[in-house]
Amino acid sequence: MTADVPGTDALTARSSRVVAARKLQRRRGRDKAERFLAEGPQAVREAIAAGAVEDLFYDLDADTRHSDLIDAAVAAGAHVHPCTDEGLAALAETVTPQGLVAVCRFLDQRLPEEANLVAVLHGITDPGNAGTVLRAADAAGADCVVFGTDSVDPYNGKCVRSSAGSLFHLPVLRAADTADVLGVFPHAQVLAAAAGGEDLYALDGAGDLAAPTVWLLGSEAHGLDEDTAALAHRKVGVPIWGKAESLNLAVAAGLCLYASAAAQHRAHLWLASFAKSGS
């Protein structure tokens, strides 16, 4: 396997490259370096495909198990570094490291000029939930995801892992103020996901979800504060027909995003069919 410097001994937890990369586990270090860590084969694979990997650290077992990814990183121009188990464990943030940790450049993301489906996270501080929402938005075909006021850093290690590679698939932006972000999409309706809001499926039945939509999503513990919820055109809730007290934030977000995506796809197919029949 080709390393950054052929014949180099495996790096340890005290090696300067490992010590420098470890600083990216904290937001201050990430923001200063404009770099972040992606851990595990799935995240590393997507990071390589996105051209974001600068350095790849791997343990000696991964040299065999994930040789394809190491070769791909070399082919993409990344520096690769074999590590001792101790050295790799110093960079990994999981209890059982998967043998690969990549240093990635911040993604150069911009808000799309036109967007039909957007997720805006407001005050969502749990990185696992945030990453899962990002994954759901990607699966639903959303145009972008914005991490708004008081939300976790999308480059947080747990958020990156929870996104299962989706961080590299669509524009993901950080915004200091949620209200400013909403103003970027004047053509779209803003729907606030909120308990006790209008029935999601009733809106779908009325055809109201087919329009370009920004979903405003609040924290699982507190939801959206009144001032932020007031920025939305409507408050929408997922009906609970069983005995559960509430839905997990990521589940509710996924249902809302998929309902909009399905409605928009149906509208697109209808228009395509109408245009074809009229030609």
Side-chain angles (χ1 to χ4, degrees):
M1 193 59 56
T2 304
D4 184 24
V5 181
T8 299
D9 292 334
L11 302 182
T12 70
R14 295 184 179 181
S15 298
S16 59
R17 286 183 181 272
V18 174
V19 171
R22 193 173 185 180
K23 293 179 181 178
L24 303 179
Q25 293 174 347
R26 297 183 177 277
R27 182 164 186 166
R28 175 183 290 184
R30 294 192 294 271
D31 285 347
K32 182 177 181 180
E34 296 188 346
R35 302 290 186 274
F36 67 101
L37 298 178
E39 179 181 345
Q42 176 64 18
V44 168
R45 181 177 293 105
E46 300 303 328
I48 292 172
V53 176
E54 194 167 82
D55 291 89
L56 178 63
F57 299 86
Y58 62 94
D59 63 23
L60 301 184
D61 186 37
D63 194 1
T64 300
R65 290 186 294 115
H66 302 300
S67 60
D68 59 327
L69 292 180
I70 300 171
D71 287 340
V74 172
H79 302 294
V80 299
H81 316 285
C83 296
T84 63
D85 289 346
E86 175 198 29
L88 201 285
L91 293 175
E93 297 181 81
T94 54
V95 176
T96 306
Q98 299 180 64
L100 296 167
V101 178
V103 172
C104 304
R105 292 176 287 274
F106 273 13
L107 304 172
D108 182 19
Q109 305 288 24
R110 300 188 178 110
L111 286 168
E113 294 183 5
E114 294 186 9
N116 289 318
L117 185 57
V118 177
V120 176
L121 283 59
H122 179 88
I124 296 179
T125 58
D126 182 274
N129 270 336
T132 305
V133 171
L134 172 52
R135 183 178 182 181
D138 178 25
D143 296 292
C144 70
V145 177
V146 181
F147 284 62
T149 305
D150 295 331
S151 290
V152 68
D153 180 14
Y155 297 128
N156 171 286
K158 187 174 182 180
C159 186
V160 175
R161 293 191 301 277
S162 297
S163 80
S166 288
L167 174 67
F168 302 100
H169 294 166
L170 74 169
V172 178
L173 300 101
R174 301 189 293 180
D177 191 286
T178 298
D180 289 344
V181 172
L182 298 180
V184 176
F185 305 103
H187 66 291
Q189 61 178 345
V190 179
L191 303 181
E198 297 179 65
D199 187 312
L200 173 70
Y201 300 108
L203 264 64
D204 188 17
D208 293 346
L209 296 183
T213 299
V214 175
W215 277 102
L216 184 55
L217 308 164
S219 72
E220 182 168 345
H222 308 292
L224 294 166
D225 60 88
E226 292 184 8
D227 289 342
T228 302
L231 298 173
H233 299 112
R234 306 169 83 163
K235 297 178 182 178
V236 182
V238 178
I240 294 178
W241 297 307
K243 296 180 180 180
E245 180 184 0
S246 62
L247 283 172
N248 171 273
L249 164 67
V251 172
L255 290 170
C256 292
L257 289 163
Y258 258 90
S260 286
Q264 291 174 3
H265 278 284
R266 287 195 301 269
H268 176 75
L269 290 173
W270 184 87
L271 287 172
S273 176
F274 180 79
K276 184 176 181 180
S277 65
S279 60

